[in-house]
Amino acid sequence: MRADRRLGRIIVALAALFLLAGCENVRALFTPWERNEPVLRTKPAPAKKPEEPHFFRVLTLPDYEAAKEAYDKTAILGIPFRKVAREFREKATAIRKAQPSEFSVGVRAEVQDLKLGGTSRIIESDEGFSILQKTTSAHYERALKLMEKKNDAAALKLIRRDLEINPGNVDAWLALAKMMDEAGDLEETLAAYRKARDLAPEDPLVSNRYARYLVSQYRFEEAEEILRDAEKKSPEDTGVLLNLASLLVYLNKELDWASRLIERGSSIDPGRPAWYRLSGIIRKRRELGIAPKGKGVN
């Protein structure tokens, strides 16, 4: 009987030793079961999508003096880059959009610094002196495609994102104004147009769109003020001439000046039927003896 008890104790002791040897951590045997539950493995976090690559508008000029003049107009005076590019088109050797990978190795360090900080810079390149202006056209162009597909919610989100990164994107402000107009948001539409015009006060396209929106809201005095200013800055822009002449004819005021605007516009773009239509309205009013509300100026 005693031998059986001793044999049983030996077997229990051996079993305990085997259990201890097979355990990686002896302390785990004395850990309460609540702490010894298996750890649930969480799914790895999805890889963060890389930021949309910055694009650069590039204007390359043969000499530093011309490049400096163009740079001052864009960076200091705030004139839209595309308008400066048109002005220097004859002197320029390249006007294009580029990604950082397209630049030479010697320029890429400058481009990297430009991405982190400033909005424009003159860089000496093999072709001459290149003016680079950072733009977020990737967001804006994707938004335009979404707008074409009537996916306005996603497009609006991209446009707002674009403006957060690059608040100087005039095209994006105009797109925002258009979308807010379609949504019936008067205040944000006006704010977007004001911002676009503050950024590009000399761009007739911005003034024309802003003025036409004001006319649609029966804010004729504000529209007239904008178009008068635009006519002084862009006296050869047919859009400004037509919009201002149309507004004066509609308001039946300063018809002599309206006639001169029509004459100037028709000499620049003679094939536009609107010139003949407006001239016919003025002639008919004179035949009927309808007096204009104001005397001609300018």
Side-chain angles (χ1 to χ4, degrees):
M1 182 68 70
R2 291 180 180 177
D4 293 339
R5 288 180 180 176
R6 289 178 181 175
L7 181 61
R9 289 174 182 173
I10 293 171
I11 292 172
V12 171
L14 289 172
L17 288 173
F18 279 116
L19 287 172
L20 288 172
C23 182
E24 293 180 0
N25 188 352
V26 176
R27 292 182 182 178
L29 294 175
F30 304 95
T31 304
W33 68 270
E34 291 88 351
R35 297 183 183 177
N36 202 28
E37 287 183 308
V39 178
L40 296 177
R41 294 187 178 181
T42 57
K43 293 182 179 180
K48 188 177 180 181
K49 292 183 179 180
E51 288 288 330
E52 290 290 345
H54 286 284
F55 288 75
F56 295 86
R57 293 187 180 95
V58 185
L59 172 63
T60 303
L61 293 160
D63 56 84
Y64 180 80
E65 288 73 17
K68 183 66 168 58
E69 183 183 354
Y71 170 82
D72 289 344
K73 289 187 175 183
T74 59
I76 298 175
L77 298 180
I79 300 175
F81 192 84
R82 60 182 180 276
K83 183 171 183 179
V84 174
R86 287 198 299 267
E87 181 181 344
F88 287 88
R89 182 169 291 149
E90 293 182 359
K91 298 180 182 178
T93 57
I95 302 173
R96 60 191 175 90
K97 288 183 180 180
Q99 290 187 358
S101 59
E102 298 176 19
F103 296 114
S104 63
V105 176
V107 174
R108 286 180 193 172
E110 294 278 352
V111 171
Q112 180 64 27
D113 186 47
L114 179 62
K115 285 171 61 178
L116 297 175
T119 56
S120 55
R121 180 171 300 171
I122 300 176
I123 293 176
E124 188 170 2
S125 64
D126 295 337
E127 296 82 12
F129 294 88
S130 297
I131 303 171
L132 306 183
Q133 185 181 64
K134 182 173 65 177
T135 176
T136 53
S137 60
H139 290 91
Y140 173 69
E141 289 169 5
R142 280 173 53 200
L144 292 183
K145 292 179 181 178
L146 290 171
M147 289 170 68
E148 291 176 358
K149 297 178 180 179
K150 306 300 181 183
N151 192 347
D152 292 341
L156 180 59
K157 185 176 180 180
L158 279 174
I159 288 174
R160 292 193 188 281
R161 173 61 177 156
D162 182 272
L163 291 172
E164 287 176 4
I165 299 172
N166 186 10
N169 191 336
V170 177
D171 292 332
W173 284 111
L174 291 177
L176 178 62
K178 181 177 182 295
M179 296 193 75
M180 291 299 97
D181 179 20
E182 293 174 352
D185 191 328
L186 171 66
E187 292 304 320
E188 190 163 5
T189 303
L190 288 171
Y193 274 125
R194 290 192 195 104
K195 183 65 176 180
R197 191 162 184 266
D198 289 343
L199 289 168
E202 309 225 355
D203 189 338
L205 174 65
V206 176
S207 296
N208 281 323
R209 291 190 182 180
Y210 186 15
R212 288 168 64 181
Y213 176 73
L214 290 170
V215 168
S216 72
Q217 300 299 313
Y218 304 99
R219 301 171 74 142
F220 300 124
E221 291 184 3
E222 295 174 64
E224 183 180 347
E225 181 180 355
I226 288 172
L227 289 171
R228 284 178 182 273
D229 181 65
E231 188 272 334
K232 291 177 181 178
K233 294 175 179 176
S234 304
E236 303 300 317
D237 186 84
T238 55
V240 171
L241 299 176
L242 178 58
N243 287 326
L244 181 53
S246 299
L247 182 58
L248 293 175
V249 171
Y250 176 81
L251 298 174
N252 193 33
K253 62 184 292 187
E254 303 184 32
L255 296 185
D256 289 339
W257 186 33
S259 296
R260 291 197 292 274
L261 293 172
I262 294 168
E263 183 180 355
R264 194 195 314 166
S266 61
S267 65
I268 299 170
D269 183 11
R272 185 172 290 189
W275 307 125
Y276 305 101
R277 177 176 55 80
L278 291 173
S279 296
I281 293 172
I282 294 174
R283 184 171 59 253
K284 191 68 175 178
R285 286 180 181 172
R286 286 171 175 167
E287 291 174 356
L288 296 173
I290 301 173
K293 296 179 181 179
K295 295 182 179 180
V297 296
N298 290 2

